[in-house]
């Protein structure tokens, strides 16, 4: 199997991926908070995670991928303060929380389908798993990792040797102040402690509440991913994904509670996608007017051009969105699809070439998911010295991972791309040169021209109607 490496936030290194069980991958993705449409920033994370999953599958791994749907507990600060996001969405639209959750979950998967993002094998809404959360919180209390104060249950971060697992020593020192809440929760023993279960909160109008050993209430945000991950993937997880904003506090808290609960290391690889920004900074759902797939469509953009926009930059670099940049990608995308449509499907696939090129493609993606280089490989392939059938078969195969809709059923366009026009002009000039050589009875030169064209994959034939040429 080809080597697949990517950046592991836990070790701060690009590492070769080694699963817990040979050939199998347990993968978890933090799903959307369904109080509004996903913006194209959120979808950048899901596109790049989709490429990681498909790269692993393409390389031969058997992947099981799980995603939660956050329909309860996520407060606007990501910590334990601010407004409840679901409640905010319900108020905004005069609907119930569950109506909002259903509507935006469907909208999310419809956006994913337009972007060719595969639906994970398991999708589980947090509100399906309340009993599991209660069991986990009870166990954390029994083990002494949690305490009840003021009616809420908190995780006691002072019980851990290393709570800030993703941070270097100097960052840890700076982080002491990070959790300075606007209205400090005086129930907490330590500033970094976080809520596992709320019964007392400022949201008296909280719509979704469940009975628990600590009173009627609702879960904190972080517990859902630990619980849903362990429920479907067992005690050992290979890869956990999310956007970089999830590193702290969400993923830090997930590790704290999961490892305290399990009594051993939980997940080996943490894959984080950097943010898509607009000209004013980080894209955010709470900003009101934000960019969605539907908005792009209403402006006439093919969502797959946005996927290509994401793939052309590295997942570990912030990416700035502008319509001008997207327009450039659209032009390149349309031209590429046309050039591929112009490939002839005749001839036999050159299996040696196919296997070698496919290996190179996997190695490129296996090198910290170098998606822009993987796209360059498609362009290089179009110019490569092999027949169209092999090119077409390879592009079809690569598109399993790239998922850009590169091989469309559209018939070849009359308007061949610029490079094809150049090739045509070159071949016609050579045919003329050969005709002139033949007229001069310089047959050696005429043969040399025929050989030169053949070395470029062009065969010429003298027919009664004149000289014809074709790609071989
Ligand atoms: P949310 O719906 O807010 O829970 O976020 C869903 C996913 O999108 C999470 O993995 C976030 O880390 C990620 N995310 C949020 N904002 C951005 C952004 N501007 N660019 C890329 N990913 C983001
Ligand atoms: Zn999560």
């Amino acid at each position: 199997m080809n080597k697949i490496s990517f950046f592991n936030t836990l070790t701060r290194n690009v590492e070769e991926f080694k699963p817990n069980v040979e050939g199998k991958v347990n993968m978890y993705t933090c799903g959307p908070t369904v109080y509004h449409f996903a913006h194209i920033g959120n979808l950048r994370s899901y596109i790049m995670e989709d490429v990681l999953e498909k790269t692993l599958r393409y390389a031969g791994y058997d992947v099981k991928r799980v995603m939660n749907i956050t329909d309860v507990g996520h407060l606007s600060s990501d910590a334990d303060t601010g407004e409840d996001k679901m409640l905010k969405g319900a108020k905004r639209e005069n609907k119930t929380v569950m109506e909002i959750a259903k509507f935006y979950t469907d909208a999310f998967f419809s956006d994913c389908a337009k972007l060719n993002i595969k639906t994970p094998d398991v999708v589980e809404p947090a509100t399906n798993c309340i009993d599991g959360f209660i069991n986990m919180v009870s166990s954390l209390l029994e083990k002494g990792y949690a305490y009840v104060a003021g009616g809420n249950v908190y995780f006691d971060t002072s019980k851990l040797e290393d709570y800030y697992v993703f941070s270097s020593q100097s960052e840890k020192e700076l982080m002491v102040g990070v959790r300075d809440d606007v209205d400090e929760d005086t129930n907490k023993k330590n500033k970094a402690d976080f809520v596992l279960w709320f019964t007392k909160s400022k949201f008296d109008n909280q719509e979704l509440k469940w009975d628990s050993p600590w009173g009627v209430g609702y879960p904190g945000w972080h517990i859902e991913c630990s619980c849903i991950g362990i429920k479907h993937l067992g005690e050992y997880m290979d890869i956990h994904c999310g956007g970089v904003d999830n590193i702290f506090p969400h993923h830090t808290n997930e590790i704290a509670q999961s490892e305290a609960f399990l009594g051993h290391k939980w997940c080996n690889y943490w894959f984080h996608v950097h943010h898509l920004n607009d000209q004013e900074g980080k894209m955010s759902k709470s900003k009101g007017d934000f960019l969605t797939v539907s908005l792009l469509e209403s402006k006439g953009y093919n969502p797959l051009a946005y996927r290509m926009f994401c793939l052309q930059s590295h997942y570990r670099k912030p990416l700035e969105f502008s319509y001008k940049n997207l327009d450039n990608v659209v032009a390149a995308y349309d031209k590429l699809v046309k050039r591929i449509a112009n490939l002839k499907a005749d001839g036999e696939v050159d299996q040696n070439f196919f296997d070698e090129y496919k290996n190179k493609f996997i190695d490129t993606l296996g090198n910290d998911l170098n998606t822009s280089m993987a796209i360059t490989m498609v362009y290089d392939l179009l110019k490569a010295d092999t027949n169209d059938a092999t090119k077409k078969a390879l592009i079809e195969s690569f598109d399993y991972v790239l998922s850009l809709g590169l091989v469309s059923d559209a018939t070849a366009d009359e308007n061949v791309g610029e490079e094809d026009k150049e090739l045509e002009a070159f071949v016609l000039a050579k045919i003329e040169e050969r005709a002139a050589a033949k007229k001069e009875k310089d047959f050696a030169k005429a043969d040399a021209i025929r050989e030169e064209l053949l070395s470029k994959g062009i065969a010429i034939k003298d027919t009664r109607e004149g000289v014809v040429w074709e790609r071989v």
Side-chain angles (χ1 to χ4, degrees):
M1 215 180 273
N2 299 60
K3 186 168 125 180
I4 306 290
S5 303
F6 56 87
F7 186 83
N8 184 359
T9 315
L10 203 56
T11 57
R12 300 171 158 234
N13 274 314
V14 173
E15 270 183 63
E16 181 179 348
F17 173 65
K18 296 215 169 85
N20 284 306
V21 177
E22 210 184 319
K24 288 193 185 294
V25 185
N26 270 351
M27 188 170 172
Y28 185 87
T29 295
C30 288
T33 309
V34 284
Y35 73 111
H36 218 321
F37 292 107
H39 55 62
I40 58 170
N42 301 126
L43 292 160
R44 178 191 189 197
S45 286
Y46 295 111
I47 288 171
M48 301 317 287
E49 293 164 6
D50 183 64
V51 173
L52 174 63
E53 177 190 345
K54 287 174 177 166
T55 298
L56 290 162
R57 287 184 191 273
Y58 196 58
Y61 286 99
D62 176 10
V63 182
K64 179 173 179 188
R65 176 138 172 242
V66 176
M67 180 194 272
N68 67 304
I69 297 289
T70 299
D71 53 0
V72 68
H74 194 172
L75 309 187
S76 60
S77 74
D78 272 9
D80 302 326
T81 59
E83 263 187 285
D84 178 298
K85 292 191 179 191
M86 293 304 297
L87 213 57
K88 191 174 153 187
K91 260 197 268 172
R92 185 187 65 232
E93 298 183 20
N94 243 334
K95 291 195 181 126
T96 65
V97 165
M98 283 334 265
E99 280 168 346
I100 289 287
K102 162 106 185 63
F103 179 83
Y104 288 112
T105 301
D106 292 348
F108 172 74
F109 285 112
S110 149
D111 286 347
C112 286
K114 288 173 187 166
L115 292 163
N116 281 345
I117 297 170
K118 181 183 168 297
T119 302
D121 304 289
V122 177
V123 176
E124 179 96 70
T127 49
N128 268 7
C129 304
I130 302 298
D131 287 349
F133 305 160
I134 292 174
N135 283 342
M136 195 162 174
V137 175
S138 304
S139 165
L140 289 170
L141 278 163
E142 269 166 38
K143 291 181 168 139
Y145 285 104
Y147 58 93
V148 179
N152 294 334
V153 188
Y154 294 88
F155 187 90
D156 187 348
T157 53
S158 70
K159 292 278 152 68
L160 302 180
E161 250 172 58
D162 191 11
Y163 166 66
Y164 295 106
V165 283
F166 289 114
S167 317
S168 68
Q169 207 45 50
S170 56
E171 281 166 332
K172 277 171 197 163
E173 278 146 28
L174 290 172
M175 298 207 76
V176 178
V178 168
R179 300 288 299 271
D180 265 340
D181 296 333
V182 189
D183 31 87
E184 203 177 312
D185 184 344
T186 50
N187 293 322
K188 290 184 183 182
K189 288 190 194 164
N190 314 288
K191 240 186 184 149
D193 293 355
F194 55 92
V195 176
L196 296 166
W197 185 269
F198 287 98
T199 63
K200 297 277 183 307
S201 78
K202 52 189 174 178
F203 313 120
D204 292 334
N205 53 349
Q206 182 70 20
E207 213 180 285
L208 299 178
K209 289 183 204 171
W210 295 265
D211 204 6
S212 82
W214 319 285
V216 174
Y218 60 98
W221 172 36
H222 317 292
I223 196 86
E224 66 183 81
C225 290
S226 294
C227 218
I228 293 173
I230 294 167
K231 176 178 170 188
H232 294 288
L233 297 172
E235 290 194 13
Y236 296 92
M237 190 183 276
D238 292 303
I239 308 174
H240 194 309
C241 314
V244 279
D245 59 307
N246 283 160
I247 296 173
F248 186 82
H250 186 48
H251 289 167
T252 304
N253 291 351
E254 276 188 48
I255 293 176
Q257 63 203 4
S258 299
E259 297 193 352
F261 172 74
L262 294 168
H264 59 71
K265 190 173 179 187
W266 179 42
C267 178
N268 290 334
Y269 298 85
W270 290 79
F271 176 84
H272 290 110
V273 180
H274 280 251
H275 277 162
L276 179 82
N277 302 312
D278 55 24
Q279 268 118 345
E280 282 114 52
K282 182 191 168 229
M283 220 164 266
S284 144
K285 289 187 204 177
S286 52
K287 270 191 190 164
D289 208 16
F290 56 83
L291 284 163
T292 59
V293 168
S294 314
L295 182 68
L296 292 185
E297 281 185 305
S298 72
K299 290 180 187 285
Y301 291 100
N302 176 349
L304 293 181
Y306 175 65
R307 185 175 171 111
M308 175 139 150
F309 176 87
C310 292
L311 264 53
Q312 279 189 332
S313 94
H314 197 258
Y315 75 94
R316 278 205 289 133
K317 286 198 185 124
L319 175 60
E320 187 174 309
F321 179 84
S322 75
Y323 282 108
K324 189 165 161 267
N325 293 345
L326 184 60
D327 286 338
N328 290 336
V329 176
V330 168
Y333 175 78
D334 289 345
K335 206 168 127 187
L336 181 61
V337 171
K338 267 182 204 155
R339 283 180 65 190
I340 294 166
N342 277 302
L343 292 172
K344 316 258 180 305
D346 44 9
E348 273 191 27
V349 172
D350 177 342
Q351 203 54 47
N352 285 341
F353 187 96
F354 184 99
D355 294 342
E356 214 173 289
Y357 212 82
K358 180 178 170 179
N359 258 325
K360 257 172 57 185
F361 181 79
I362 299 175
D363 287 344
T364 299
L365 287 166
N367 178 13
D368 199 18
L369 221 63
N370 195 342
T371 46
S372 71
M373 187 53 84
I375 291 177
T376 302
M377 280 192 72
V378 174
Y379 283 102
D380 289 346
L381 177 60
L382 286 168
K383 289 182 271 173
D385 192 9
T386 186
N387 64 15
D388 278 13
T390 309
K391 291 179 185 177
K392 206 166 176 181
L394 270 167
I395 293 171
E396 225 157 9
S397 171
F398 295 168
D399 211 32
Y400 169 74
V401 179
L402 301 175
S403 302
L404 290 168
L406 292 178
V407 183
S408 67
D409 295 331
T411 45
D413 199 297
E414 289 303 309
N415 305 318
V416 288
E418 280 315 306
E419 290 201 36
D420 286 341
K421 281 186 192 157
E422 271 172 39
L423 177 73
E424 189 172 19
F426 169 79
V427 175
L428 293 177
K430 285 287 165 192
I431 289 173
E432 254 177 57
E433 207 181 318
R434 179 170 166 267
K438 276 170 100 175
K439 218 171 169 186
E440 300 290 334
K441 303 229 179 316
D442 189 351
F443 297 112
K445 186 174 175 189
D447 285 345
I449 291 170
R450 180 199 284 274
E451 285 307 312
E452 186 192 350
L453 286 172
L454 205 56
S455 72
K456 293 189 177 353
I458 306 294
I460 51 175
K461 236 191 259 170
D462 295 305
T463 70
R464 258 189 291 167
E465 283 75 37
V467 182
V468 293
W469 63 279
E470 63 175 5
R471 288 191 179 90
V472 285

